[in-house]
Amino acid sequence: MSRFYITTPIYYVNDAPHIGHAYPTVIADAVSRWHRLLGDDVLFVTGTDEYGLKNQQAAEAQGLHPKELADRNSTRFRAAWDLLDIVYDDFIRTTEERHTRSVQKFLQAIYDNGDIELGTYEGLYCVACEAYYTEGDLDDGLCPIHHRPVELVKQENWFFRLSRYEQRLLDHYAAHPDAVIPATRRNEVLGFIRQGLQDISISRSSFDWGVPLPWDPTHVTWVWFDALPNYITAAGYGDDPERFAHWWPADYHLVGKDIIRFHAVYWPAMLLAAGLEPPRSVAAHGWLLVGGEKISKSGAKFTQITPADLVAEYGVDATRYHLLREVPLGGDGEFSYEGLEARYNADLANNFGNLVSRVTTVVGTKCDGIGPAPSADSSLKDVAADVVRATTDAWGRLAPSDALEATWQLIRQTNAYLEAHEPWKAEPGAEVDAVLGDALEALRIVCILASPALPRSTAEAWRRLGLEGTPAGQRLPAAVEWGNSSGGRPIEKGEPLFPRRKG
Ligand code: MSP
């Protein structure tokens, strides 16, 4: 059994969750569910990023203490994840005691190592990014990400000696070619490092909503320097060395392309400076766009689609499926209701849902509702074996869209197999039994393979097939071997799992 540690970014609490946040969270959830099927020891961590100027200003604008706003919005993130059946192992809030302890221990280690020094900084600051820019980074004088004015800030701050880590980072990436995926992002990161790294200011004395530096409590930690260590806090860094040795380094930090520099340059350098290993891989995804615009809290109202909006209209599984299937990980992708409806009807209503209805109905009429056994040499057996291989490979390289595409091949082929044999027209007997036994077995395998994406409907289909336990409770690879289940179980018909939507 191997261990598998995956994280999402921790979300700012300046506003409520939208589907741009649901996107990486559903992906990380589905990937961790896949690893649970493999029998891995899984740690899946998400949470909220609660300090910093951006959160403080949002609270002030609403007449709240920043902690009140953090409490309110952190709860909304949790509620959204509950609604989407996200099964995280830990939800970390950066304002928790355990995190303060961990950040202070971590910064102290870097300080003791001589990599944090006092200096004066004058620079252009974007509050929305919580980051400094140089003139050259700006877009028409505005922040390149948020297109809003930056402020000239001059402060005596503590600096992290990032410039010392150029070569070590290049060596690290040379030795670990998959440490940033996809390759386009890796090249971007390498290009950035090769341009030369500047030391970065990591403390603020102009406001106090942050973790105090252990050696200089008149300064609080720059929010990114307290946010990134959430990944080690959740692994036990602050107070449980044994737990930390088990979980660190993380297997994947799943992040949006806008925060790749923080995760693939600053974070590994910070870890090296503290004598810790960098994460095994930082996986960057693109943005969900609505009408070509990034969905965001600060963006136009119409782009603010929430997870609750989609779940209310389409249900949990269809929402998850769409987020996982529509946009291959890495690129930007357009979100539209038309796209969701089209995929719902094609993949869920007409394919998966229809297969479940057909098989259970025909077993009812032709086999007295008792499922026949699969045959040992069905053509579907080979299809299933290929699909298991392709699905496994795709989840393994963090490609949920490919994984689902592969799994759906088995659904399509099984529907085609039924259409070729038309058991609903044939007389009951050995031939019909063989066809339906094969279809039931293919469907059983589909339920397991699709369970990371569709936890509810696969569990319901599983129950209708008279199988014990749940698809998520099965263990690969044995459970997806052809013939792992025998016939003789009562099969139940039911309401369509995904009623067709009228366009
Ligand atoms: N708090 C920081 C992350 C700290 S991690 C140590 C942050 N928070 S955020 O709430 O602004 O964004 C969190 C993540 O959500 C980012 O990875 C970002 O890419 C992602 N998304 C926000 N809007 C998005 C879309 N419209 N589409 C896809 N992902 C997007 O950054």
Side-chain angles (χ1 to χ4, degrees):
M1 182 166 86
S2 36
R3 64 106 174 126
F4 183 76
Y5 178 20
I6 186 167
T7 65
T8 72
I10 50 172
Y11 303 102
Y12 285 131
V13 288
N14 61 332
D15 207 346
H18 56 64
I19 59 167
H21 303 125
Y23 177 62
T25 312
V26 168
I27 293 173
D29 180 67
V31 171
S32 56
R33 284 173 184 264
W34 177 263
H35 280 267
R36 290 195 181 100
L37 281 177
L38 293 176
D40 287 349
D41 185 14
V42 173
L43 178 62
F44 163 31
V45 176
T46 188
T48 43
D49 188 354
E50 308 191 353
Y51 285 125
L53 197 51
K54 177 176 172 135
N55 290 325
Q56 179 173 313
Q57 286 181 350
E60 277 163 6
Q62 296 179 50
L64 297 172
H65 186 276
K67 182 63 167 49
E68 284 178 289
L69 183 68
D71 288 347
R72 183 178 298 179
N73 281 333
S74 187
T75 306
R76 291 163 88 176
F77 275 95
R78 268 182 199 264
W81 304 156
D82 288 349
L83 207 59
L84 284 166
D85 283 358
I86 305 294
V87 186
Y88 48 76
D89 299 290
D90 196 352
F91 187 100
I92 182 163
R93 301 183 54 184
T94 53
T95 51
E96 287 171 81
E97 265 292 314
R98 60 167 171 160
H99 186 58
T100 305
R101 276 200 303 278
S102 161
V103 169
Q104 291 189 332
K105 177 176 163 186
F106 182 63
L107 292 178
Q108 189 70 52
I110 303 178
Y111 182 71
D112 292 346
N113 203 15
D115 280 331
I116 294 179
E117 289 171 358
L118 202 58
T120 308
Y121 193 80
E122 191 175 274
L124 301 165
Y125 198 73
C126 169
V127 175
C129 292
E130 292 275 19
Y132 282 105
Y133 286 103
T134 61
E135 288 283 354
D137 293 331
L138 301 183
D139 202 356
D140 265 348
L142 301 174
C143 159
I145 307 265
H146 294 91
H147 301 288
R148 29 183 281 179
V150 290
E151 291 161 40
L152 185 67
V153 177
K154 185 173 180 179
Q155 280 187 344
E156 182 167 78
N157 284 338
W158 291 94
F159 280 75
F160 171 54
R161 304 298 307 268
L162 181 64
S163 57
R164 292 182 179 160
Y165 285 87
E166 248 172 70
Q167 197 51 50
R168 285 188 67 187
L169 287 175
L170 291 172
D171 293 347
H172 169 69
Y173 286 124
H176 302 94
D178 292 329
V180 177
I181 55 171
T184 46
R185 298 288 164 215
R186 172 189 152 84
N187 293 337
E188 185 184 309
V189 166
L190 291 178
F192 180 76
I193 301 171
R194 287 194 189 114
Q195 270 175 24
L197 299 177
Q198 315 240 317
D199 294 344
I200 46 175
S201 153
I202 60 134
S203 73
R204 304 285 181 266
S205 55
S206 52
F207 70 104
D208 62 3
W209 184 234
V211 178
L213 294 182
W215 64 90
D216 178 1
T218 64
H219 282 240
V220 294
T221 310
W222 173 43
V223 63
W224 273 100
F225 253 56
D226 105 63
L228 290 161
N230 90 82
Y231 304 130
I232 53 172
T233 303
Y237 177 74
D239 39 31
D240 192 343
E242 217 171 288
R243 180 178 154 79
F244 186 64
H246 179 65
W247 290 114
W248 196 257
D251 292 273
Y252 284 108
H253 292 320
L254 184 61
V255 302
K257 63 179 185 180
D258 49 331
I259 57 173
I260 188 86
R261 190 186 291 187
F262 299 99
H263 283 83
V265 181
Y266 300 175
W267 178 227
M270 291 158 73
L271 287 161
L272 290 170
L276 301 174
E277 271 184 76
R280 290 190 180 143
S281 188
V282 176
H285 62 79
W287 288 339
L288 282 193
L289 310 171
V290 174
E293 250 191 85
K294 181 179 179 236
I295 299 163
S296 74
K297 297 178 247 205
S298 46
K301 264 282 171 244
F302 80 97
T303 64
Q304 296 183 11
I305 302 165
T306 69
D309 294 337
L310 298 186
V311 170
E313 186 63 28
Y314 302 95
V316 177
D317 280 11
T319 301
R320 292 172 59 100
Y321 181 80
H322 188 70
L323 292 173
L324 291 164
R325 175 69 181 85
E326 188 69 9
V327 184
L329 201 95
D332 288 350
E334 180 67 23
F335 172 87
S336 74
Y337 282 99
E338 295 76 15
L340 203 169
E341 299 251 348
R343 227 180 241 295
Y344 177 103
N345 278 337
D347 293 5
L348 300 178
N350 295 352
N351 267 304
F352 179 54
N354 186 35
L355 179 60
V356 174
S357 297
R358 266 178 163 175
V359 173
T360 54
T361 304
V362 187
V363 169
T365 53
K366 303 288 174 181
C367 315
D368 294 329
I370 302 298
S375 40
D377 57 355
S378 167
S379 61
L380 282 181
K381 177 181 172 178
D382 299 333
V383 176
D386 287 346
V387 162
V388 166
R389 254 193 307 278
T391 304
T392 304
D393 170 71
W395 283 114
R397 55 187 168 79
L398 228 68
S401 183
D402 292 355
L404 294 170
E405 168 60 28
T407 300
W408 256 247
Q409 285 302 333
L410 182 54
I411 298 176
R412 285 193 203 100
Q413 297 283 336
T414 309
N415 270 322
Y417 183 77
L418 289 170
E419 270 146 32
H421 291 90
E422 297 187 311
W424 42 86
K425 285 191 183 161
E427 286 302 314
E431 221 169 292
V432 166
D433 283 357
V435 169
L436 290 171
D438 292 346
L440 281 168
E441 182 63 354
L443 193 48
R444 184 186 69 80
I445 293 172
V446 163
C447 284
I448 298 171
L449 297 179
S451 64
L454 306 176
R456 293 193 179 192
S457 48
T458 53
E460 173 58 13
W462 188 263
R463 194 191 62 74
R464 290 183 194 178
L465 299 186
L467 292 157
E468 276 179 23
T470 59
Q474 308 306 304
R475 286 295 159 264
L476 267 46
V480 290
E481 267 162 29
W482 189 265
N484 190 274
S485 135
S486 50
R489 298 181 310 274
I491 305 294
E492 187 183 311
K493 284 190 291 182
E495 295 295 306
L497 289 174
F498 297 98
R500 219 188 128 73
R501 295 184 65 92
K502 310 225 163 31

